[in-house]
Amino acid sequence: KDGSKVLDVGCGIGIVSLNVAKCLTKSSIIGVDIKKQNIITANELLNKSKLCNVNFIHGDINKQKNIKVDYVILSNILEHIENRTKFLKKIQKITNSKIFLIRVPNFERDWQIAMRKELGIYYFSDNDHKIEHTVNQLTNDLEKADFKIQELITTWGEIWAKCEYGI
């Protein structure tokens, strides 16, 4: 909703944050990323965009104390996290947000991934991935963290979920 406070965790070079800011011009968008070069690039893109409702922060979200927001975006983040339940609960505590917008790669996007797993060959799509989610795995991860899925879509090899905390 326009006028909301939005946190984009693991924002990378800020593409999602900037697109949200363009659409929700009365909202305040915060992008945070652990990689300094990503934030440098995000700020360069921000300067070119002339948007004034975005702020990029370099740092580890797990070390933040208080970033109260209405919405949290986790776009292609959960697959990089070993203990997703703990991570989700920590982010919820830091932000006090009830709404999380989550996107993860879908394990079932391509037959080759399942075949590689069955053959015992490395099957992750990124060297840093800890999991390639199926819909059931994502649902289980979210339920363990006390999130309820309000909407779930699979598209373009990804799973998109709108979740509410504590319902």
Side-chain angles (χ1 to χ4, degrees):
K1 295 179 183 177
D2 210 358
S4 300
K5 292 181 182 177
V6 179
L7 175 64
D8 182 5
V9 176
C11 68
I13 62 169
I15 300 302
V16 171
S17 297
L18 293 168
N19 283 323
V20 170
K22 284 177 197 171
C23 294
L24 304 177
T25 57
K26 295 175 185 167
S27 292
S28 173
I29 317 301
I30 301 167
V32 62
D33 200 277
I34 200 164
K35 294 181 181 174
K36 187 168 185 81
Q37 186 56 52
N38 283 347
I39 296 302
I40 290 169
T41 302
N43 279 316
E44 290 169 358
L45 293 171
L46 175 60
N47 290 337
K48 290 177 187 175
S49 75
K50 307 283 192 246
L51 292 167
C52 59
N53 59 336
V54 184
N55 183 31
F56 290 111
I57 300 169
H58 170 248
D60 183 343
I61 189 63
N62 293 299
K63 294 180 181 173
Q64 302 298 315
K65 298 289 184 215
N66 244 348
I67 304 177
K68 300 302 179 206
V69 297
D70 303 303
Y71 298 91
V72 173
I73 297 172
L74 298 170
S75 179
N76 291 308
I77 298 303
L78 286 183
E79 64 273 14
H80 296 275
I81 307 299
E82 190 72 49
N83 188 335
R84 291 169 299 285
T85 301
K86 181 179 176 183
F87 177 77
L88 286 165
K89 286 184 175 193
K90 172 93 177 188
I91 301 305
Q92 197 287 321
K93 185 176 180 182
I94 292 167
T95 64
N96 202 35
S97 177
K98 300 291 184 215
I99 309 288
F100 279 61
L101 307 172
I102 298 172
R103 175 171 67 172
V104 296
N106 188 351
F107 173 79
E108 300 163 320
R109 69 189 171 276
D110 184 351
W111 64 270
Q112 294 178 47
I113 294 172
M115 183 183 79
R116 281 189 244 147
K117 181 178 182 185
E118 188 175 318
L119 293 173
I121 300 170
Y122 188 83
Y123 65 94
F124 294 117
S125 59
D126 183 298
N127 288 337
D128 188 51
H129 283 191
K130 311 301 185 233
I131 188 172
E132 297 284 334
H133 281 96
T134 63
V135 169
N136 285 340
Q137 287 168 322
L138 179 61
T139 300
N140 289 339
D141 281 351
L142 294 170
E143 285 175 358
K144 286 179 189 173
D146 297 323
F147 285 83
K148 181 173 179 169
I149 296 172
Q150 299 298 316
E151 182 178 5
L152 188 132
I153 300 167
T154 57
T155 184
W156 293 99
E158 296 178 322
I159 305 168
W160 297 46
K162 176 185 176 188
C163 309
E164 289 193 46
Y165 176 76
I167 292 179

